[in-house]
Amino acid sequence: MIGRKAEGALSGACTVVVGCQWGDEGKGKVVDVLAKDAELIARYQGGANAGHTVHVGDRQVVLHQVPSGALHPGKRCLLGNGVVVDLGQLFDELDELDARGIDTSGRIGLSARAHVVFPYHKALDAATEEAAHRKIGTTGKGIGPAYEAKTARRGVRVADLLDPRRGAEVVERGLEWARRRLALLGADPALAGEAEQAIRVADRLPGLVADVGAEIADALAGGRRVLLEGAQGTALDVDHGSYPFVTSSNTTAGAAAVGVAIGPTAIDSVIGVVKAYTTRVGNGPLPTAFDPEMDERIRELGGEYGATTGRPRRCGWFDAPVAAYAARVNGLTGIAVTKLDVLDTLAEVRIATGYRLGGETGVAFPATDWELEGVEPVYETLPGWRSATTGARRLRDLPRQARSYLERIEELVGTPIAMVSVGTRRSQVITEL
Ligand code: GDP
């Protein structure tokens, strides 16, 4: 029975919301729904390459750097040390929210240990992709080079910029390194820009810096609820995803503790977000890809264009091996199925129940991209429901066939469904299952 065992999954003290496919699962919507009962919402990884689209009333807001919880008046939103932050983008978004009448003052906190993305990282991103033998299809936002600098111990952190003299020094070193690398890649070193351009908004930082881990620990100790919001998805995790066509950070739930400076024992609930079908943006294999006609149809119905780049997303059937793998890697306590309504007009729906590879069946999500490229999904076909689900607010409002589809997903993923989303609006959700 859908949701029965998921009781409590939505009411954890410290809940991680993690994408369980190739990103764009609708995490923003799920966080938005859960945010009303939380006091703190913190992002634990990623940068301005993630685009959360949130609809509030008739307004559509795309947030790249500000946590989507910022749209809830009174909530405090934090960016943890695991995030790489584009300060220009962050302040632009905060100004835009303020212009729309959403007061964010005193509600945003940024870890001093977070690394900063500068224009020179974007120049490096473009030049690296241009020179690459295998193109990853990055968003060009400088995220990869910023994480690379972090791991190579030449990154610039928010803390550095709080001291203007020291900040200018470390930025200059970063710039110098970027100029040399650009020249090596055959690009114009001048593309790295100048220090003033890089640190133009640093003076706005002092009001934002926060001890993210301590704030979360205090909230939890006081019995208040916390949400930890991931970006991208499990299949894009730098370790667990379809390497090398992945993002440059750990997206999975384990990274949540590291990325906001709390211990793993503080987390008591992990909600995995899956779309009722699958999409992928950027390069790399997509085993359950639709044929071109169906691809086009679902892309239009689901509005499957990147929130950051506007690039069309490739679409496919629900891939249970990916979601089941994500359930294990993230230790899911519940799943949130989004965009069920996008399938409303289909006569039949298919689910990939497993993979076949070189005559072998029951193959798990493989470690290499060439194996993932070679897998053949084993499909099960179920009847469609051919009626609108957008008005459903309880499970019993859904057509029988839609419930069967969800039950099958739950069975194959091995995790109870805790939420079903049936539209873009905040109210279009089923949480009483
Ligand atoms: P995220 O990065 O995981 O938050 O995902 P995106 O924001 O990039 O993509 C989710 C898109 O799907 C947004 O435009 C949402 O408004 C939309 N969305 C979320 N849930 C639903 C749903 O249940 N139905 C429909 N039709 N759209 C949804």
Side-chain angles (χ1 to χ4, degrees):
M1 191 49 193
I2 294 177
R4 181 166 287 172
K5 299 181 296 300
E7 258 173 55
L10 298 182
S11 52
C14 186
T15 301
V16 179
V17 176
V18 61
C20 287
Q21 293 158 326
W22 275 278
D24 311 311
E25 295 92 348
K27 296 176 292 296
K29 161 85 186 260
V30 173
V31 168
D32 196 50
V33 169
L34 295 179
K36 68 177 191 321
D37 298 319
E39 178 181 281
L40 283 182
I41 301 132
R43 271 193 59 177
Y44 60 84
Q45 47 75 229
N49 52 347
H52 281 325
T53 316
V54 182
H55 297 254
V56 184
D58 292 335
R59 295 182 302 180
Q60 176 176 310
V61 186
V62 182
L63 299 173
H64 298 285
Q65 199 67 88
V66 174
S68 45
L71 299 176
H72 283 261
K75 306 291 174 188
R76 177 117 169 115
C77 297
L78 303 171
L79 295 161
N81 55 279
V83 166
V84 291
V85 61
D86 180 331
L87 295 174
Q89 177 86 35
L90 176 67
F91 288 116
D92 285 351
E93 285 179 22
L94 291 177
D95 291 346
E96 192 194 328
L97 288 175
D98 283 342
R100 287 173 184 244
I102 297 166
D103 181 15
T104 59
S105 55
R107 296 207 291 116
I108 309 292
L110 171 63
S111 167
R113 291 183 166 86
H115 281 247
V116 182
V117 183
F118 292 108
Y120 64 77
H121 291 123
K122 293 179 198 168
L124 284 169
D125 206 351
T128 309
E129 184 80 343
E130 176 64 31
H133 174 58
R134 299 171 83 191
K135 305 207 188 302
I136 305 298
T138 82
T139 55
K141 303 286 177 194
I143 311 303
Y147 274 116
E148 194 185 323
K150 170 179 175 172
T151 314
R153 292 155 296 181
R154 55 180 155 72
V156 181
R157 303 193 299 173
V158 167
D160 296 315
L161 297 180
L162 294 174
D163 175 338
R165 190 187 53 79
R166 196 183 144 68
E169 263 172 42
V170 288
V171 169
E172 197 48 58
R173 278 203 298 275
L175 269 169
E176 194 39 49
W177 193 91
R179 291 188 190 109
R180 288 205 303 273
R181 173 71 83 90
L182 285 167
L184 270 174
L185 290 167
D188 180 2
L191 290 173
E194 297 300 328
E196 304 72 57
Q197 180 198 6
I199 51 182
R200 72 183 163 89
V201 287
D203 56 340
R204 288 181 69 177
L205 272 180
L208 279 191
V209 172
D211 189 339
V212 169
E215 275 197 45
I216 293 176
D218 282 353
L220 293 174
R224 297 181 301 271
R225 283 162 63 177
V226 173
L227 282 181
L228 307 180
E229 174 182 352
Q232 292 95 32
T234 302
L236 292 174
D237 182 287
V238 67
D239 283 286
H240 307 296
S242 51
Y243 194 89
F245 299 104
V246 291
T247 195
S248 37
S249 60
N250 284 116
T251 59
T252 38
V258 177
V260 298
I262 58 170
T265 47
I267 296 168
D268 60 352
S269 168
V270 182
I271 301 295
V273 187
V274 289
K275 252 181 236 194
Y277 49 100
T278 308
T279 62
R280 176 159 202 179
V281 72
N283 299 337
L286 179 62
T288 59
F290 289 134
D291 62 54
E293 192 186 323
M294 189 66 178
D295 188 47
E296 184 68 30
R297 180 171 168 194
I298 296 296
R299 184 176 312 116
E300 291 314 312
L301 284 169
E304 296 296 352
Y305 294 90
T308 305
T309 58
R311 289 184 290 185
R313 298 175 183 145
R314 289 175 284 155
C315 306
W317 296 112
F318 187 83
D319 187 329
V322 168
Y325 172 73
R328 177 166 58 77
V329 174
N330 292 294
L332 299 185
T333 53
I335 48 181
V337 180
T338 62
K339 297 193 133 178
L340 184 68
D341 54 296
V342 173
L343 306 182
D344 282 353
T345 56
L346 303 189
E348 51 183 39
V349 282
R350 298 170 87 185
I351 297 179
T353 57
Y355 290 157
R356 203 181 285 128
L357 183 66
E360 201 185 320
T361 50
V363 174
F365 187 72
T368 65
D369 64 303
W370 63 87
E371 286 167 298
L372 192 63
E373 192 73 69
V375 299
E376 199 188 315
V378 179
Y379 287 112
E380 192 171 289
T381 304
L382 286 83
W385 41 97
R386 295 186 123 166
S387 58
T389 57
T390 46
R393 298 295 175 266
R394 291 160 307 182
L395 198 61
R396 65 172 184 271
D397 300 337
L398 289 175
R400 183 176 44 81
Q401 298 88 334
R403 286 198 309 254
S404 304
Y405 181 64
L406 292 172
E407 270 167 26
R408 191 66 182 120
I409 287 179
E410 185 174 78
E411 210 167 75
L412 288 163
V413 179
T415 306
I417 293 177
M419 185 190 294
V420 181
S421 174
V422 291
T424 54
R425 290 202 308 278
R426 199 177 267 177
S427 60
Q428 289 178 302
V429 70
I430 300 172
T431 52
E432 282 166 33
L433 291 145

